[in-house]
Amino acid sequence: MLSGPLEGVIVLDFTRVLAGPFCAMILADLGAEVIKIERPKTGDDSRAFTPIVKGESAYFMSINRGKKSVTLDLKNPKGREIALRMGEKADILIENFKPGVMEKLGLSYEEFAARNPRIIYASCSGFGQYGPLSEKPAYDLIVQGLGGIMSITGPDKNTPTKVGSSIADIFAGVFTAIGILAALHHRESSGKGQYVDVAMLDCMVAILENAIARYVATGVTPEPIGNRHPSIAPFATFKTQDGHINIACGNNELWRRLCVALNRPHLYEDARFKTNADRVANWADLEPLLQEAFIECPTEKWLKEFDDAGIPAGKISNIADVVKDPHVLARDMIVNVVHPVAGNFTLPGIPIKLSMTPGKIKSPAPVLGQHNEEVLTEYLGMTPDDVNALEEEGVI
Amino acid sequence: MLSGPLEGVIVLDFTRVLAGPFCAMILADLGAEVIKIERPKTGDDSRAFTPIVKGESAYFMSINRGKKSVTLDLKNPKGREIALRMGEKADILIENFKPGVMEKLGLSYEEFAARNPRIIYASCSGFGQYGPLSEKPAYDLIVQGLGGIMSITGPDKNTPTKVGSSIADIFAGVFTAIGILAALHHRESSGKGQYVDVAMLDCMVAILENAIARYVATGVTPEPIGNRHPSIAPFATFKTQDGHINIACGNNELWRRLCVALNRPHLYEDARFKTNADRVANWADLEPLLQEAFIECPTEKWLKEFDDAGIPAGKISNIADVVKDPHVLARDMIVNVVHPVAGNFTLPGIPIKLSMTPGKIKSPAPVLGQHNEEVLTEYLGMTPDDVNALEEEGVI
């Protein structure tokens, strides 16, 4: 009941910042042994990202839990050789450098595969390993812009809006995890690893949902329409006396109950709002009438009324609400870990609940080079003296 | 080179609308045989979603490609028995009913596992199989609201904004795929399947990126801050003469080049904007000064200048731009299929590029019950007469 489904799988993790580390974190949560290779002295760039808690980056700690940290100067021939030898022991390698960097370091898929044909080598990048933009620097903001999601997110058509978390990075991380696990399944029968190429931009195109289908079917370019549903009403966000509320009334019966709960029974009789199609067509009339009702009471009062009436509704939780939400806590989606330097720290939990092999957050994020001796002695048979010598040479 | 890594894996797919179908689509793209079980006569609810192309829903077609459709009345004892017999042949079962529905139908994990202990049974729901909200109806809008992402997305703190695509559903779909594939790996050694429980809300908490870490470290509740970066400037969206542009200047040299390209060299000398920390602190002064420069020229002109100067920048592509973007096309992320009824149709491609087993979009989305005879004869040994009889009885 305790170990994760990927127990025994060894991941060599050359990733930095977000997309790659997020992917490797998922694998670690599911039981894989993830060995994060970091630049000596400074490590992953995100170790410097603010806010800093007792010298440790909150950002870094939040997405590198459960991993081991080994420092390695990949530009040093000895460092490169150690990386390749580690690759002989690994099932999976993940990197998210700009395309071409691993090749220049002499650490391409071909070089690892020559020594270990079973290795699955995943590259996660902004624009992928080929295509006209592949060598451009990729920032989440720029990829969200090019990927179309910003053109359909926002309060109105003049305000294209970035999603508040870096979903281009995060989707690339999760799709890379899927690619790796699919390749792992294939390796069971073929005995061979392969190369996995995932691009943030490709992932943005893949998650546009019905936007492409709608555009192709109608020729109309979708625009941001705020929080309302394009073809169901009322299905939107309203201001309340003290905040906001989301309402989802997908049929006439729910519409009737809403009119009663809002103390606006006449709206249900109003010919402009008889059917869902009417309410969508006359939304410009309907929205202000509903808004002036919602503003009369605080969110919690409405939620209570709507819950009693069976009307789907919910508040807009802020982060402070989320971390103490009883349902979120009941699902172990907020987890406390004790970091050796930063002390008590709170992390999001594991969103994949497996009955037999649930996985777990094995450990807090490592401090830089924490597992140098452990990993190099265990995997490469070095002695502590060998490790010390490498450290003195600046290789690790 | 042609087959997907999941070739030979059989998926019994009871899902409707978005989260579950998205998960099953990923598995189909990667080579799995996905048999979609639908209600006779009407099928998946999303078959009725607009826009409709020659009688077929664009929405449905966009996320059900590569699957086979079998109709089955699960409330009919014969229908249930057929479902259980199909489960004997399947590796994976996916469902996204409200928790409890499959149990009521006599189609719980236990019932399938009793006949096939190797089956991996995944439930994808709004709030998960346990927890105080688990039986509440889950709409993407409401889950985005409860999950915190809306509280950090939007142009300003008073305008919490829903992400324009249904990312609560979509993330649940991709995390379910990861859970399934991890369980599939575990089955190789254990010989046993297991139950996978993924909730849309859990997934929203998992992808808040640094928001939880920032809140925990600082006690400050994150708010929507538009498209700018909280700690890097200028890293934001600006209006141009004809649209918008995203700019990402992460260091002083890029800042210098930007001032030159914008024909505002004096800004580089301005003491208020010397360092990144200065520019972040004095953003309220800086933003309008930059905005009045950007508005002078159209987006393409700026992109050309910034590209020449090596300044990371990009446009905000709308959906019409995305489907003809040369890079997107070069990555096969826009794919044409020929649907037997709707004709030529355009879909997003596969964002996971595997070198040995790339997978493919095997077929357009099925029409309702298209594969009844094929599947029931092949998997359950029925004769065409048996299938006709079931159809006459209304079982399929």
Side-chain angles (χ1 to χ4, degrees):
Chain A
M1 263 298 285
L2 284 172
S3 65
L6 302 183
E7 184 119 328
V9 172
I10 298 168
V11 179
L12 204 54
D13 172 15
F14 292 87
T15 66
R16 301 95 16 80
V17 187
L18 182 52
F22 198 91
C23 173
M25 175 182 73
I26 294 170
L27 303 180
D29 286 350
L30 294 173
E33 164 103 330
V34 176
I35 300 165
K36 185 177 175 90
I37 307 295
E38 299 187 75
R39 195 169 42 198
K41 301 208 164 48
T42 49
D44 184 334
D45 294 332
S46 71
R47 286 187 180 272
F49 289 4
T50 55
I52 302 289
V53 179
K54 297 179 188 165
E56 297 289 317
S57 162
Y59 189 101
F60 179 85
M61 287 193 289
S62 73
I63 48 175
N64 287 287
R65 76 231 192 152
K67 305 177 187 175
K68 293 181 173 171
S69 170
V70 170
T71 51
L72 212 48
D73 178 0
L74 300 175
K75 290 180 180 162
N76 180 312
K78 281 191 188 172
R80 172 178 174 261
E81 179 57 25
I82 289 171
L84 289 168
R85 284 178 62 202
M86 289 294 301
E88 295 171 22
K89 313 285 183 180
D91 298 286
I92 293 160
L93 182 153
I94 319 176
E95 63 91 12
N96 69 338
F97 290 101
K98 240 168 69 167
V101 170
M102 286 292 270
E103 283 73 9
K104 273 183 210 144
L105 290 168
L107 297 170
S108 66
Y109 169 58
E110 287 69 24
E111 278 152 304
F112 279 94
R115 296 186 184 209
N116 174 10
R118 289 174 59 82
I119 202 163
I120 293 158
Y121 186 121
S123 294
C124 181
S125 61
F127 299 107
Q129 303 300 307
Y130 61 89
L133 300 178
S134 70
E135 306 217 342
K136 295 282 176 194
Y139 296 91
D140 181 81
L141 171 67
I142 288 179
V143 177
Q144 285 198 31
L146 290 171
I149 188 76
M150 286 182 69
S151 79
I152 57 171
T153 301
D156 57 62
K157 68 177 182 177
N158 297 315
T159 315
T161 302
K162 188 186 98 70
V163 180
S165 74
S166 298
I167 64 159
D169 277 290
I170 293 170
F171 266 119
V174 294
F175 275 110
T176 303
I178 292 173
I180 285 169
L181 293 173
L184 196 61
H185 175 76
H186 186 260
R187 196 182 73 170
E188 295 289 342
S189 54
S190 70
K192 291 203 178 108
Q194 58 182 309
Y195 184 72
V196 185
D197 168 19
V198 172
M200 290 161 63
L201 182 59
D202 293 355
C203 294
M204 289 294 90
V205 176
I207 61 94
L208 289 172
E209 198 201 347
N210 59 346
I212 290 178
R214 264 191 292 150
Y215 169 70
V216 171
T218 66
V220 178
T221 305
E223 291 176 339
I225 57 165
N227 299 346
R228 73 180 170 86
H229 195 285
S231 54
I232 308 176
F235 202 114
T237 304
F238 294 93
K239 286 184 185 156
T240 63
Q241 201 177 73
D242 63 344
H244 294 85
I245 193 167
N246 286 325
I247 297 289
C249 292
N251 61 46
N252 283 337
E253 170 57 17
L254 290 173
W255 165 238
R256 187 191 65 74
R257 293 187 212 169
L258 181 70
C259 293
V260 172
L262 288 174
N263 201 21
R264 299 292 195 278
H266 58 279
L267 292 180
Y268 183 68
E269 305 299 330
D270 195 313
R272 292 172 296 171
F273 314 131
K274 272 287 171 204
T275 67
N276 180 62
D278 294 332
R279 294 188 292 276
V280 171
N282 297 309
W283 182 243
D285 291 345
L286 179 56
E287 188 188 22
L289 295 172
L290 293 175
Q291 183 53 73
E292 69 181 33
F294 279 105
I295 204 80
E296 289 171 359
C297 297
T299 303
E300 287 301 332
K301 196 256 185 190
W302 288 127
L303 287 174
K304 174 80 179 61
E305 293 228 3
F306 298 156
D307 198 38
D308 292 345
I311 298 166
K315 68 175 174 174
I316 297 185
S317 297
N318 63 28
I319 304 302
D321 299 326
V322 169
V323 300
K324 59 173 193 266
D325 184 293
H327 187 80
V328 170
L329 295 174
R331 304 267 312 161
D332 291 323
M333 284 310 298
I334 296 294
V335 179
N336 289 300
V337 295
V338 181
H339 187 277
V341 177
N344 275 310
F345 200 71
T346 300
L347 300 170
I350 304 174
I352 300 163
K353 311 293 186 193
L354 292 162
S355 63
M356 198 192 330
T357 57
K360 62 177 175 182
I361 297 174
K362 289 183 285 192
S363 58
V367 297
L368 184 60
Q370 182 179 337
H371 304 90
N372 281 356
E373 183 169 316
E374 176 188 323
V375 168
L376 294 176
T377 56
E378 181 183 335
Y379 286 90
L380 301 189
M382 291 185 187
T383 66
D385 284 349
D386 296 334
V387 176
N388 286 338
L390 287 170
E391 195 171 338
E392 276 166 29
E393 284 182 76
V395 177
I396 64 172
Chain B
M1 263 301 284
L2 283 174
S3 65
L6 302 183
E7 183 119 331
V9 172
I10 297 168
V11 178
L12 204 52
D13 171 16
F14 292 86
T15 67
R16 301 95 16 80
V17 188
L18 181 52
F22 197 90
C23 173
M25 175 183 73
I26 293 170
L27 303 180
D29 286 350
L30 294 173
E33 164 103 331
V34 176
I35 299 165
K36 185 177 176 92
I37 306 295
E38 299 187 75
R39 194 171 41 200
K41 301 211 164 48
T42 49
D44 184 334
D45 294 332
S46 72
R47 286 187 181 272
F49 289 5
T50 56
I52 302 288
V53 180
K54 295 180 190 163
E56 297 290 317
S57 162
Y59 189 101
F60 179 86
M61 287 193 288
S62 72
I63 47 175
N64 288 286
R65 72 223 195 165
K67 304 176 188 174
K68 292 181 173 171
S69 171
V70 170
T71 51
L72 211 49
D73 178 0
L74 300 175
K75 291 180 179 161
N76 181 312
K78 282 192 187 170
R80 172 178 174 262
E81 179 57 26
I82 289 171
L84 289 168
R85 284 178 62 201
M86 289 296 300
E88 295 171 22
K89 313 285 183 179
D91 298 285
I92 293 160
L93 182 154
I94 319 176
E95 63 92 10
N96 69 337
F97 289 101
K98 240 168 67 167
V101 170
M102 287 292 271
E103 283 74 9
K104 272 182 213 147
L105 291 168
L107 296 170
S108 66
Y109 169 57
E110 288 69 25
E111 279 154 304
F112 279 95
R115 297 186 183 209
N116 174 11
R118 289 174 59 83
I119 202 163
I120 294 158
Y121 185 120
S123 293
C124 181
S125 61
F127 299 106
Q129 302 300 306
Y130 61 90
L133 300 179
S134 71
E135 305 217 343
K136 295 281 176 194
Y139 296 90
D140 182 81
L141 171 66
I142 288 178
V143 177
Q144 285 199 31
L146 291 172
I149 189 76
M150 286 182 69
S151 79
I152 57 170
T153 300
D156 57 63
K157 67 178 181 176
N158 298 315
T159 315
T161 302
K162 189 187 97 72
V163 180
S165 74
S166 299
I167 64 160
D169 277 290
I170 293 170
F171 266 119
V174 295
F175 275 110
T176 303
I178 291 173
I180 286 169
L181 293 174
L184 196 61
H185 175 75
H186 186 261
R187 195 183 73 171
E188 295 290 341
S189 54
S190 71
K192 290 201 180 111
Q194 59 183 307
Y195 184 70
V196 184
D197 168 18
V198 172
M200 290 161 64
L201 181 59
D202 293 356
C203 294
M204 288 294 90
V205 176
I207 62 94
L208 290 172
E209 198 200 350
N210 59 346
I212 291 178
R214 265 191 292 150
Y215 170 70
V216 172
T218 66
V220 178
T221 305
E223 291 176 337
I225 56 166
N227 299 346
R228 74 180 170 85
H229 195 286
S231 54
I232 309 176
F235 201 112
T237 303
F238 294 93
K239 284 183 185 158
T240 64
Q241 201 176 74
D242 63 344
H244 293 85
I245 193 167
N246 286 325
I247 297 290
C249 291
N251 62 47
N252 283 337
E253 171 58 16
L254 290 174
W255 166 237
R256 188 189 66 74
R257 292 188 212 169
L258 180 70
C259 293
V260 172
L262 289 173
N263 201 20
R264 299 292 195 279
H266 58 280
L267 291 180
Y268 184 68
E269 305 300 329
D270 196 312
R272 292 173 295 171
F273 313 131
K274 271 288 169 203
T275 66
N276 180 63
D278 295 333
R279 294 189 290 275
V280 170
N282 297 309
W283 181 243
D285 291 347
L286 179 56
E287 188 188 21
L289 295 171
L290 292 174
Q291 183 52 74
E292 70 182 33
F294 278 104
I295 205 79
E296 289 171 358
C297 297
T299 302
E300 287 300 333
K301 197 256 185 189
W302 288 128
L303 287 174
K304 173 81 179 60
E305 293 229 1
F306 298 156
D307 197 40
D308 292 345
I311 299 165
K315 68 175 173 174
I316 297 184
S317 297
N318 63 28
I319 304 302
D321 298 325
V322 169
V323 301
K324 59 171 194 263
D325 183 293
H327 187 79
V328 170
L329 295 173
R331 305 270 308 164
D332 291 322
M333 285 310 298
I334 296 294
V335 179
N336 289 301
V337 295
V338 181
H339 187 278
V341 178
N344 275 309
F345 200 70
T346 300
L347 300 171
I350 304 174
I352 299 163
K353 311 294 186 193
L354 292 162
S355 62
M356 197 191 330
T357 57
K360 63 178 176 182
I361 297 174
K362 289 183 285 193
S363 58
V367 297
L368 184 62
Q370 182 179 336
H371 303 90
N372 281 357
E373 183 170 317
E374 176 188 323
V375 168
L376 295 176
T377 56
E378 182 182 334
Y379 286 89
L380 301 188
M382 291 186 185
T383 65
D385 283 348
D386 296 334
V387 176
N388 285 339
L390 288 170
E391 195 171 338
E392 275 166 31
E393 283 182 76
V395 177
I396 64 173

